Amino acid sequence: MSATGFPALVLFDLDGTLLDSAPDFVATIDVLRAQRGEAPIAADQLRPHVSRGARAMLAAAFPRLDQAAREALVPPFLAIYREQLARHGAPFEGVEALLAAIEGSGSRWGIVTNKPEALARALLPLLGWQARCAVLVGGDTLALRKPDPLPLLHAAQALGVAPGDCAYVGDDERDIIAARAAGMPSVVALWGYRPEHDDPATWQGDALVASAHALIDPAAWPRPR
């Protein structure tokens, strides 16, 4: 922990945790649907699947297609999404204040996401985060991705911070599984994306937090392992 009570290094998931990117993904899916002569998708239909990645979103948007047909849509999905980056979405309420509080405490923050690294890096300057994010690990940076703990351990090692002195914040159960396996305290971001049947109380996170604003209070953070 820093002298002010924040973890020495806070690692965040990206989509559904730091960034409300669902509007960008809705715009992406709408382009694909229009190309196939289909009507725009309802945002509420897609939003719960955003944290699960491109394939989950394509399954929700094109349920009548078989897996092979949806797989063929992954490259055009990613190409269209690159054009929509940060055009419609924005950081969740309270995120900018939280990042500033972490920085002001002398702690550092970074991103560990399953989004392809190139797309995640392209987002940083659009959000003004390129000089502030201390480490970024994407879903294709390493041989394994979340829920494997390797990306979290890699991020901590890159900055010379022991896993137990970090914290990982995410809105998906895979985030919490990865943090637990890495020996990092975990925070469940209840403001993020998840299907109705998911119960975050069963994920065994160390803290469940309703808003990014709440994490500005150092007392809200789980203690080091």
mmCIF file of all heavy atoms in Angstrom, residues 114-167:
data_model
loop_
_atom_site.group_PDB
_atom_site.id
_atom_site.type_symbol
_atom_site.label_atom_id
_atom_site.label_comp_id
_atom_site.label_asym_id
_atom_site.label_seq_id
_atom_site.Cartn_x
_atom_site.Cartn_y
_atom_site.Cartn_z
ATOM 1 N N ASN A 114 -8.409 -8.214 -22.132
ATOM 2 C CA ASN A 114 -8.393 -9.248 -23.171
ATOM 3 C C ASN A 114 -8.582 -8.658 -24.564
ATOM 4 O O ASN A 114 -8.570 -9.382 -25.555
ATOM 5 C CB ASN A 114 -9.469 -10.307 -22.895
ATOM 6 C CG ASN A 114 -9.002 -11.354 -21.888
ATOM 7 O OD1 ASN A 114 -7.855 -11.324 -21.437
ATOM 8 N ND2 ASN A 114 -9.883 -12.270 -21.527
ATOM 9 N N LYS A 115 -8.769 -7.341 -24.647
ATOM 10 C CA LYS A 115 -8.828 -6.676 -25.947
ATOM 11 C C LYS A 115 -7.457 -6.794 -26.617
ATOM 12 O O LYS A 115 -6.421 -6.729 -25.936
ATOM 13 C CB LYS A 115 -9.187 -5.200 -25.732
ATOM 14 C CG LYS A 115 -9.326 -4.383 -27.006
ATOM 15 C CD LYS A 115 -9.386 -2.889 -26.696
ATOM 16 C CE LYS A 115 -10.666 -2.487 -26.016
ATOM 17 N NZ LYS A 115 -11.861 -2.624 -26.861
ATOM 18 N N PRO A 116 -7.390 -6.967 -27.934
ATOM 19 C CA PRO A 116 -6.087 -6.984 -28.599
ATOM 20 C C PRO A 116 -5.260 -5.759 -28.208
ATOM 21 O O PRO A 116 -5.783 -4.641 -28.119
ATOM 22 C CB PRO A 116 -6.449 -6.974 -30.086
ATOM 23 C CG PRO A 116 -7.786 -7.645 -30.148
ATOM 24 C CD PRO A 116 -8.496 -7.208 -28.893
ATOM 25 N N GLU A 117 -3.977 -5.984 -27.979
ATOM 26 C CA GLU A 117 -3.130 -4.895 -27.471
ATOM 27 C C GLU A 117 -3.136 -3.678 -28.391
ATOM 28 O O GLU A 117 -3.176 -2.538 -27.911
ATOM 29 C CB GLU A 117 -1.689 -5.392 -27.284
ATOM 30 C CG GLU A 117 -0.775 -4.321 -26.730
ATOM 31 C CD GLU A 117 0.651 -4.783 -26.542
ATOM 32 O OE1 GLU A 117 0.897 -6.006 -26.510
ATOM 33 O OE2 GLU A 117 1.534 -3.907 -26.431
ATOM 34 N N ALA A 118 -3.098 -3.906 -29.699
ATOM 35 C CA ALA A 118 -3.044 -2.769 -30.622
ATOM 36 C C ALA A 118 -4.274 -1.880 -30.482
ATOM 37 O O ALA A 118 -4.170 -0.644 -30.533
ATOM 38 C CB ALA A 118 -2.905 -3.261 -32.057
ATOM 39 N N LEU A 119 -5.444 -2.476 -30.292
ATOM 40 C CA LEU A 119 -6.666 -1.682 -30.126
ATOM 41 C C LEU A 119 -6.652 -0.944 -28.790
ATOM 42 O O LEU A 119 -7.074 0.210 -28.705
ATOM 43 C CB LEU A 119 -7.891 -2.584 -30.228
ATOM 44 C CG LEU A 119 -8.223 -3.124 -31.621
ATOM 45 C CD1 LEU A 119 -9.383 -4.106 -31.553
ATOM 46 C CD2 LEU A 119 -8.564 -1.971 -32.568
ATOM 47 N N ALA A 120 -6.184 -1.630 -27.740
ATOM 48 C CA ALA A 120 -6.119 -0.975 -26.436
ATOM 49 C C ALA A 120 -5.154 0.202 -26.478
ATOM 50 O O ALA A 120 -5.443 1.279 -25.934
ATOM 51 C CB ALA A 120 -5.699 -1.985 -25.371
ATOM 52 N N ARG A 121 -4.009 0.021 -27.125
ATOM 53 C CA ARG A 121 -3.031 1.119 -27.205
ATOM 54 C C ARG A 121 -3.573 2.277 -28.044
ATOM 55 O O ARG A 121 -3.288 3.446 -27.758
ATOM 56 C CB ARG A 121 -1.714 0.614 -27.783
ATOM 57 C CG ARG A 121 -0.945 -0.267 -26.836
ATOM 58 C CD ARG A 121 0.522 -0.354 -27.123
ATOM 59 N NE ARG A 121 1.156 -1.219 -26.136
ATOM 60 C CZ ARG A 121 1.513 -0.847 -24.924
ATOM 61 N NH1 ARG A 121 1.310 0.413 -24.544
ATOM 62 N NH2 ARG A 121 2.073 -1.690 -24.090
ATOM 63 N N ALA A 122 -4.340 1.960 -29.073
ATOM 64 C CA ALA A 122 -4.918 3.019 -29.902
ATOM 65 C C ALA A 122 -5.917 3.862 -29.115
ATOM 66 O O ALA A 122 -6.123 5.044 -29.424
ATOM 67 C CB ALA A 122 -5.586 2.409 -31.130
ATOM 68 N N LEU A 123 -6.536 3.269 -28.098
ATOM 69 C CA LEU A 123 -7.494 4.010 -27.286
ATOM 70 C C LEU A 123 -6.830 5.026 -26.364
ATOM 71 O O LEU A 123 -7.406 6.085 -26.084
ATOM 72 C CB LEU A 123 -8.304 3.033 -26.428
ATOM 73 C CG LEU A 123 -9.620 2.520 -26.994
ATOM 74 C CD1 LEU A 123 -10.130 1.359 -26.163
ATOM 75 C CD2 LEU A 123 -10.652 3.638 -27.034
ATOM 76 N N LEU A 124 -5.633 4.715 -25.877
ATOM 77 C CA LEU A 124 -5.036 5.544 -24.823
ATOM 78 C C LEU A 124 -4.923 7.018 -25.198
ATOM 79 O O LEU A 124 -5.339 7.883 -24.420
ATOM 80 C CB LEU A 124 -3.672 4.967 -24.417
ATOM 81 C CG LEU A 124 -3.696 3.604 -23.729
ATOM 82 C CD1 LEU A 124 -2.282 3.216 -23.294
ATOM 83 C CD2 LEU A 124 -4.631 3.580 -22.543
ATOM 84 N N PRO A 125 -4.374 7.367 -26.366
ATOM 85 C CA PRO A 125 -4.291 8.793 -26.686
ATOM 86 C C PRO A 125 -5.652 9.445 -26.905
ATOM 87 O O PRO A 125 -5.812 10.649 -26.668
ATOM 88 C CB PRO A 125 -3.436 8.827 -27.956
ATOM 89 C CG PRO A 125 -3.522 7.459 -28.526
ATOM 90 C CD PRO A 125 -3.683 6.540 -27.365
ATOM 91 N N LEU A 126 -6.624 8.663 -27.332
ATOM 92 C CA LEU A 126 -7.966 9.214 -27.519
ATOM 93 C C LEU A 126 -8.598 9.602 -26.189
ATOM 94 O O LEU A 126 -9.480 10.466 -26.136
ATOM 95 C CB LEU A 126 -8.854 8.192 -28.246
ATOM 96 C CG LEU A 126 -8.378 7.758 -29.634
ATOM 97 C CD1 LEU A 126 -9.295 6.683 -30.198
ATOM 98 C CD2 LEU A 126 -8.298 8.948 -30.585
ATOM 99 N N LEU A 127 -8.145 8.953 -25.120
ATOM 100 C CA LEU A 127 -8.675 9.219 -23.787
ATOM 101 C C LEU A 127 -7.742 10.119 -22.969
ATOM 102 O O LEU A 127 -8.071 10.480 -21.830
ATOM 103 C CB LEU A 127 -8.889 7.891 -23.043
ATOM 104 C CG LEU A 127 -9.890 6.941 -23.701
ATOM 105 C CD1 LEU A 127 -9.785 5.546 -23.087
ATOM 106 C CD2 LEU A 127 -11.310 7.473 -23.565
ATOM 107 N N GLY A 128 -6.585 10.446 -23.531
ATOM 108 C CA GLY A 128 -5.614 11.239 -22.793
ATOM 109 C C GLY A 128 -4.870 10.443 -21.741
ATOM 110 O O GLY A 128 -4.347 11.022 -20.775
ATOM 111 N N TRP A 129 -4.774 9.143 -21.915
ATOM 112 C CA TRP A 129 -4.174 8.274 -20.905
ATOM 113 C C TRP A 129 -2.789 7.763 -21.291
ATOM 114 O O TRP A 129 -2.178 7.028 -20.521
ATOM 115 C CB TRP A 129 -5.084 7.073 -20.645
ATOM 116 C CG TRP A 129 -6.383 7.396 -19.987
ATOM 117 C CD1 TRP A 129 -6.752 8.581 -19.416
ATOM 118 C CD2 TRP A 129 -7.499 6.513 -19.806
ATOM 119 N NE1 TRP A 129 -8.030 8.496 -18.905
ATOM 120 C CE2 TRP A 129 -8.518 7.243 -19.130
ATOM 121 C CE3 TRP A 129 -7.737 5.184 -20.146
ATOM 122 C CZ2 TRP A 129 -9.740 6.675 -18.796
ATOM 123 C CZ3 TRP A 129 -8.961 4.620 -19.820
ATOM 124 C CH2 TRP A 129 -9.955 5.358 -19.149
ATOM 125 N N GLN A 130 -2.297 8.109 -22.470
ATOM 126 C CA GLN A 130 -1.073 7.473 -22.949
ATOM 127 C C GLN A 130 0.134 7.738 -22.066
ATOM 128 O O GLN A 130 1.023 6.879 -21.953
ATOM 129 C CB GLN A 130 -0.775 7.871 -24.401
ATOM 130 C CG GLN A 130 -0.366 9.327 -24.611
ATOM 131 C CD GLN A 130 -1.548 10.265 -24.777
ATOM 132 O OE1 GLN A 130 -2.648 9.980 -24.323
ATOM 133 N NE2 GLN A 130 -1.313 11.390 -25.439
ATOM 134 N N ALA A 131 0.198 8.885 -21.424
ATOM 135 C CA ALA A 131 1.331 9.198 -20.558
ATOM 136 C C ALA A 131 1.050 8.850 -19.100
ATOM 137 O O ALA A 131 1.939 8.987 -18.253
ATOM 138 C CB ALA A 131 1.688 10.682 -20.674
ATOM 139 N N ARG A 132 -0.156 8.405 -18.813
ATOM 140 C CA ARG A 132 -0.553 8.149 -17.428
ATOM 141 C C ARG A 132 -0.597 6.663 -17.103
ATOM 142 O O ARG A 132 -0.333 6.275 -15.959
ATOM 143 C CB ARG A 132 -1.934 8.777 -17.166
ATOM 144 C CG ARG A 132 -1.952 10.281 -17.388
ATOM 145 C CD ARG A 132 -3.373 10.823 -17.362
ATOM 146 N NE ARG A 132 -4.014 10.632 -16.068
ATOM 147 C CZ ARG A 132 -5.309 10.833 -15.846
ATOM 148 N NH1 ARG A 132 -6.095 11.230 -16.839
ATOM 149 N NH2 ARG A 132 -5.817 10.648 -14.646
ATOM 150 N N CYS A 133 -0.941 5.848 -18.066
ATOM 151 C CA CYS A 133 -1.043 4.403 -17.862
ATOM 152 C C CYS A 133 0.369 3.812 -17.762
ATOM 153 O O CYS A 133 1.148 3.870 -18.719
ATOM 154 C CB CYS A 133 -1.814 3.781 -19.029
ATOM 155 S SG CYS A 133 -1.997 1.992 -18.940
ATOM 156 N N ALA A 134 0.701 3.246 -16.616
ATOM 157 C CA ALA A 134 2.067 2.785 -16.369
ATOM 158 C C ALA A 134 2.391 1.483 -17.078
ATOM 159 O O ALA A 134 3.554 1.209 -17.392
ATOM 160 C CB ALA A 134 2.289 2.618 -14.863
ATOM 161 N N VAL A 135 1.395 0.661 -17.353
ATOM 162 C CA VAL A 135 1.620 -0.618 -18.025
ATOM 163 C C VAL A 135 0.325 -1.033 -18.702
ATOM 164 O O VAL A 135 -0.764 -0.770 -18.182
ATOM 165 C CB VAL A 135 2.092 -1.709 -17.020
ATOM 166 C CG1 VAL A 135 1.033 -1.994 -15.963
ATOM 167 C CG2 VAL A 135 2.505 -2.988 -17.740
ATOM 168 N N LEU A 136 0.440 -1.641 -19.873
ATOM 169 C CA LEU A 136 -0.730 -2.143 -20.589
ATOM 170 C C LEU A 136 -0.412 -3.541 -21.111
ATOM 171 O O LEU A 136 0.593 -3.739 -21.798
ATOM 172 C CB LEU A 136 -1.119 -1.219 -21.739
ATOM 173 C CG LEU A 136 -2.429 -1.569 -22.457
ATOM 174 C CD1 LEU A 136 -3.080 -0.314 -23.027
ATOM 175 C CD2 LEU A 136 -2.218 -2.577 -23.587
ATOM 176 N N VAL A 137 -1.282 -4.480 -20.787
ATOM 177 C CA VAL A 137 -1.160 -5.851 -21.281
ATOM 178 C C VAL A 137 -2.469 -6.197 -21.983
ATOM 179 O O VAL A 137 -3.546 -6.097 -21.388
ATOM 180 C CB VAL A 137 -0.889 -6.853 -20.140
ATOM 181 C CG1 VAL A 137 -0.750 -8.270 -20.694
ATOM 182 C CG2 VAL A 137 0.358 -6.463 -19.360
ATOM 183 N N GLY A 138 -2.391 -6.576 -23.256
ATOM 184 C CA GLY A 138 -3.566 -6.933 -24.026
ATOM 185 C C GLY A 138 -3.796 -8.433 -24.059
ATOM 186 O O GLY A 138 -2.991 -9.226 -23.562
ATOM 187 N N GLY A 139 -4.887 -8.808 -24.693
ATOM 188 C CA GLY A 139 -5.239 -10.217 -24.756
ATOM 189 C C GLY A 139 -4.314 -11.041 -25.614
ATOM 190 O O GLY A 139 -4.272 -12.272 -25.478
ATOM 191 N N ASP A 140 -3.565 -10.394 -26.502
ATOM 192 C CA ASP A 140 -2.622 -11.108 -27.363
ATOM 193 C C ASP A 140 -1.177 -10.720 -27.079
ATOM 194 O O ASP A 140 -0.271 -11.064 -27.837
ATOM 195 C CB ASP A 140 -2.946 -10.853 -28.835
ATOM 196 C CG ASP A 140 -3.001 -9.368 -29.186
ATOM 197 O OD1 ASP A 140 -2.814 -8.531 -28.280
ATOM 198 O OD2 ASP A 140 -3.245 -9.046 -30.365
ATOM 199 N N THR A 141 -0.923 -10.034 -25.968
ATOM 200 C CA THR A 141 0.445 -9.655 -25.608
ATOM 201 C C THR A 141 1.272 -10.875 -25.249
ATOM 202 O O THR A 141 2.458 -10.968 -25.595
ATOM 203 C CB THR A 141 0.432 -8.675 -24.416
ATOM 204 O OG1 THR A 141 -0.360 -7.532 -24.748
ATOM 205 C CG2 THR A 141 1.830 -8.235 -24.040
ATOM 206 N N LEU A 142 0.652 -11.817 -24.555
ATOM 207 C CA LEU A 142 1.323 -13.011 -24.062
ATOM 208 C C LEU A 142 0.650 -14.253 -24.645
ATOM 209 O O LEU A 142 -0.361 -14.157 -25.340
ATOM 210 C CB LEU A 142 1.271 -13.042 -22.531
ATOM 211 C CG LEU A 142 1.827 -11.801 -21.816
ATOM 212 C CD1 LEU A 142 1.454 -11.832 -20.341
ATOM 213 C CD2 LEU A 142 3.336 -11.722 -21.993
ATOM 214 N N ALA A 143 1.194 -15.404 -24.320
ATOM 215 C CA ALA A 143 0.635 -16.659 -24.834
ATOM 216 C C ALA A 143 -0.704 -16.993 -24.191
ATOM 217 O O ALA A 143 -1.508 -17.732 -24.766
ATOM 218 C CB ALA A 143 1.622 -17.800 -24.594
ATOM 219 N N LEU A 144 -0.958 -16.462 -23.000
ATOM 220 C CA LEU A 144 -2.191 -16.734 -22.273
ATOM 221 C C LEU A 144 -2.857 -15.419 -21.903
ATOM 222 O O LEU A 144 -2.204 -14.382 -21.773
ATOM 223 C CB LEU A 144 -1.899 -17.545 -21.004
ATOM 224 C CG LEU A 144 -1.273 -18.924 -21.224
ATOM 225 C CD1 LEU A 144 -0.799 -19.505 -19.897
ATOM 226 C CD2 LEU A 144 -2.251 -19.869 -21.906
ATOM 227 N N ARG A 145 -4.169 -15.459 -21.728
ATOM 228 C CA ARG A 145 -4.918 -14.273 -21.313
ATOM 229 C C ARG A 145 -5.857 -14.645 -20.179
ATOM 230 O O ARG A 145 -6.004 -15.816 -19.826
ATOM 231 C CB ARG A 145 -5.688 -13.684 -22.498
ATOM 232 C CG ARG A 145 -6.733 -14.597 -23.108
ATOM 233 C CD ARG A 145 -7.410 -13.893 -24.265
ATOM 234 N NE ARG A 145 -8.534 -14.646 -24.782
ATOM 235 C CZ ARG A 145 -9.447 -14.131 -25.606
ATOM 236 N NH1 ARG A 145 -9.363 -12.865 -25.985
ATOM 237 N NH2 ARG A 145 -10.435 -14.872 -26.046
ATOM 238 N N LYS A 146 -6.477 -13.641 -19.580
ATOM 239 C CA LYS A 146 -7.430 -13.915 -18.500
ATOM 240 C C LYS A 146 -8.495 -14.917 -18.960
ATOM 241 O O LYS A 146 -8.921 -14.830 -20.107
ATOM 242 C CB LYS A 146 -8.115 -12.618 -18.062
ATOM 243 C CG LYS A 146 -7.209 -11.512 -17.556
ATOM 244 C CD LYS A 146 -7.998 -10.250 -17.216
ATOM 245 C CE LYS A 146 -8.714 -9.647 -18.405
ATOM 246 N NZ LYS A 146 -9.460 -8.414 -18.143
ATOM 247 N N PRO A 147 -8.865 -15.851 -18.099
ATOM 248 C CA PRO A 147 -8.689 -15.914 -16.645
ATOM 249 C C PRO A 147 -7.345 -16.461 -16.160
ATOM 250 O O PRO A 147 -7.171 -16.637 -14.947
ATOM 251 C CB PRO A 147 -9.826 -16.832 -16.197
ATOM 252 C CG PRO A 147 -10.016 -17.759 -17.350
ATOM 253 C CD PRO A 147 -9.785 -16.911 -18.582
ATOM 254 N N ASP A 148 -6.414 -16.755 -17.052
ATOM 255 C CA ASP A 148 -5.088 -17.135 -16.589
ATOM 256 C C ASP A 148 -4.449 -15.945 -15.869
ATOM 257 O O ASP A 148 -4.617 -14.792 -16.292
ATOM 258 C CB ASP A 148 -4.221 -17.564 -17.773
ATOM 259 C CG ASP A 148 -2.952 -18.267 -17.321
ATOM 260 O OD1 ASP A 148 -1.959 -17.582 -17.004
ATOM 261 O OD2 ASP A 148 -2.968 -19.508 -17.267
ATOM 262 N N PRO A 149 -3.689 -16.173 -14.804
ATOM 263 C CA PRO A 149 -3.092 -15.063 -14.066
ATOM 264 C C PRO A 149 -1.866 -14.445 -14.738
ATOM 265 O O PRO A 149 -1.399 -13.387 -14.305
ATOM 266 C CB PRO A 149 -2.692 -15.713 -12.731
ATOM 267 C CG PRO A 149 -2.432 -17.149 -13.081
ATOM 268 C CD PRO A 149 -3.477 -17.470 -14.128
ATOM 269 N N LEU A 150 -1.343 -15.066 -15.801
ATOM 270 C CA LEU A 150 -0.090 -14.610 -16.390
ATOM 271 C C LEU A 150 -0.093 -13.119 -16.755
ATOM 272 O O LEU A 150 0.878 -12.408 -16.453
ATOM 273 C CB LEU A 150 0.267 -15.454 -17.614
ATOM 274 C CG LEU A 150 1.554 -15.066 -18.346
ATOM 275 C CD1 LEU A 150 2.777 -15.253 -17.438
ATOM 276 C CD2 LEU A 150 1.712 -15.883 -19.632
ATOM 277 N N PRO A 151 -1.146 -12.576 -17.409
ATOM 278 C CA PRO A 151 -1.100 -11.148 -17.753
ATOM 279 C C PRO A 151 -1.002 -10.232 -16.541
ATOM 280 O O PRO A 151 -0.296 -9.218 -16.583
ATOM 281 C CB PRO A 151 -2.418 -10.937 -18.516
ATOM 282 C CG PRO A 151 -2.788 -12.284 -19.030
ATOM 283 C CD PRO A 151 -2.339 -13.238 -17.969
ATOM 284 N N LEU A 152 -1.667 -10.576 -15.454
ATOM 285 C CA LEU A 152 -1.602 -9.761 -14.241
ATOM 286 C C LEU A 152 -0.208 -9.835 -13.622
ATOM 287 O O LEU A 152 0.357 -8.819 -13.207
ATOM 288 C CB LEU A 152 -2.652 -10.212 -13.234
ATOM 289 C CG LEU A 152 -4.079 -9.698 -13.439
ATOM 290 C CD1 LEU A 152 -4.712 -10.305 -14.688
ATOM 291 C CD2 LEU A 152 -4.945 -9.983 -12.224
ATOM 292 N N LEU A 153 0.351 -11.038 -13.574
ATOM 293 C CA LEU A 153 1.688 -11.214 -13.015
ATOM 294 C C LEU A 153 2.731 -10.495 -13.867
ATOM 295 O O LEU A 153 3.679 -9.901 -13.341
ATOM 296 C CB LEU A 153 2.010 -12.706 -12.908
ATOM 297 C CG LEU A 153 1.158 -13.494 -11.903
ATOM 298 C CD1 LEU A 153 1.399 -14.984 -12.049
ATOM 299 C CD2 LEU A 153 1.455 -13.036 -10.475
ATOM 300 N N HIS A 154 2.545 -10.541 -15.180
ATOM 301 C CA HIS A 154 3.462 -9.861 -16.099
ATOM 302 C C HIS A 154 3.439 -8.351 -15.863
ATOM 303 O O HIS A 154 4.492 -7.697 -15.833
ATOM 304 C CB HIS A 154 3.070 -10.182 -17.540
ATOM 305 C CG HIS A 154 3.891 -9.486 -18.571
ATOM 306 N ND1 HIS A 154 5.119 -9.952 -18.986
ATOM 307 C CD2 HIS A 154 3.670 -8.342 -19.277
ATOM 308 C CE1 HIS A 154 5.622 -9.135 -19.894
ATOM 309 N NE2 HIS A 154 4.760 -8.156 -20.094
ATOM 310 N N ALA A 155 2.248 -7.791 -15.693
ATOM 311 C CA ALA A 155 2.120 -6.346 -15.466
ATOM 312 C C ALA A 155 2.806 -5.945 -14.170
ATOM 313 O O ALA A 155 3.524 -4.930 -14.116
ATOM 314 C CB ALA A 155 0.648 -5.956 -15.441
ATOM 315 N N ALA A 156 2.592 -6.718 -13.096
ATOM 316 C CA ALA A 156 3.216 -6.404 -11.817
ATOM 317 C C ALA A 156 4.733 -6.512 -11.916
ATOM 318 O O ALA A 156 5.464 -5.633 -11.431
ATOM 319 C CB ALA A 156 2.682 -7.344 -10.740
ATOM 320 N N GLN A 157 5.205 -7.569 -12.560
ATOM 321 C CA GLN A 157 6.652 -7.768 -12.690
ATOM 322 C C GLN A 157 7.290 -6.649 -13.508
ATOM 323 O O GLN A 157 8.390 -6.183 -13.201
ATOM 324 C CB GLN A 157 6.933 -9.119 -13.329
ATOM 325 C CG GLN A 157 8.420 -9.451 -13.442
ATOM 326 C CD GLN A 157 8.660 -10.804 -14.075
ATOM 327 O OE1 GLN A 157 7.959 -11.210 -14.998
ATOM 328 N NE2 GLN A 157 9.651 -11.528 -13.572
ATOM 329 N N ALA A 158 6.596 -6.196 -14.546
ATOM 330 C CA ALA A 158 7.136 -5.138 -15.403
ATOM 331 C C ALA A 158 7.406 -3.858 -14.626
ATOM 332 O O ALA A 158 8.312 -3.087 -14.973
ATOM 333 C CB ALA A 158 6.177 -4.854 -16.551
ATOM 334 N N LEU A 159 6.642 -3.630 -13.553
ATOM 335 C CA LEU A 159 6.805 -2.424 -12.750
ATOM 336 C C LEU A 159 7.492 -2.698 -11.420
ATOM 337 O O LEU A 159 7.607 -1.792 -10.586
ATOM 338 C CB LEU A 159 5.452 -1.759 -12.523
ATOM 339 C CG LEU A 159 4.771 -1.233 -13.796
ATOM 340 C CD1 LEU A 159 3.449 -0.567 -13.451
ATOM 341 C CD2 LEU A 159 5.666 -0.253 -14.546
ATOM 342 N N GLY A 160 7.908 -3.933 -11.213
ATOM 343 C CA GLY A 160 8.630 -4.268 -9.998
ATOM 344 C C GLY A 160 7.790 -4.227 -8.740
ATOM 345 O O GLY A 160 8.303 -3.906 -7.663
ATOM 346 N N VAL A 161 6.521 -4.573 -8.843
ATOM 347 C CA VAL A 161 5.615 -4.558 -7.696
ATOM 348 C C VAL A 161 5.192 -5.982 -7.375
ATOM 349 O O VAL A 161 4.809 -6.739 -8.273
ATOM 350 C CB VAL A 161 4.371 -3.688 -7.976
ATOM 351 C CG1 VAL A 161 3.457 -3.655 -6.755
ATOM 352 C CG2 VAL A 161 4.774 -2.280 -8.376
ATOM 353 N N ALA A 162 5.251 -6.363 -6.123
ATOM 354 C CA ALA A 162 4.804 -7.694 -5.714
ATOM 355 C C ALA A 162 3.302 -7.822 -5.953
ATOM 356 O O ALA A 162 2.546 -6.874 -5.707
ATOM 357 C CB ALA A 162 5.120 -7.924 -4.243
ATOM 358 N N PRO A 163 2.838 -8.996 -6.421
ATOM 359 C CA PRO A 163 1.399 -9.154 -6.685
ATOM 360 C C PRO A 163 0.509 -8.793 -5.499
ATOM 361 O O PRO A 163 -0.542 -8.183 -5.680
ATOM 362 C CB PRO A 163 1.278 -10.633 -7.053
ATOM 363 C CG PRO A 163 2.610 -10.981 -7.633
ATOM 364 C CD PRO A 163 3.604 -10.182 -6.832
ATOM 365 N N GLY A 164 0.951 -9.135 -4.310
ATOM 366 C CA GLY A 164 0.136 -8.843 -3.140
ATOM 367 C C GLY A 164 -0.002 -7.363 -2.832
ATOM 368 O O GLY A 164 -0.889 -6.966 -2.078
ATOM 369 N N ASP A 165 0.884 -6.538 -3.419
ATOM 370 C CA ASP A 165 0.812 -5.087 -3.224
ATOM 371 C C ASP A 165 0.033 -4.394 -4.333
ATOM 372 O O ASP A 165 -0.025 -3.155 -4.369
ATOM 373 C CB ASP A 165 2.219 -4.496 -3.143
ATOM 374 C CG ASP A 165 2.946 -4.924 -1.880
ATOM 375 O OD1 ASP A 165 2.274 -5.122 -0.856
ATOM 376 O OD2 ASP A 165 4.188 -5.068 -1.930
ATOM 377 N N CYS A 166 -0.522 -5.186 -5.231
ATOM 378 C CA CYS A 166 -1.376 -4.663 -6.309
ATOM 379 C C CYS A 166 -2.835 -4.868 -5.937
ATOM 380 O O CYS A 166 -3.169 -5.474 -4.918
ATOM 381 C CB CYS A 166 -1.088 -5.403 -7.619
ATOM 382 S SG CYS A 166 0.618 -5.366 -8.188
ATOM 383 N N ALA A 167 -3.712 -4.368 -6.771
ATOM 384 C CA ALA A 167 -5.126 -4.732 -6.745
ATOM 385 C C ALA A 167 -5.596 -4.767 -8.184
ATOM 386 O O ALA A 167 -5.091 -4.019 -9.028
ATOM 387 C CB ALA A 167 -5.948 -3.737 -5.937
#
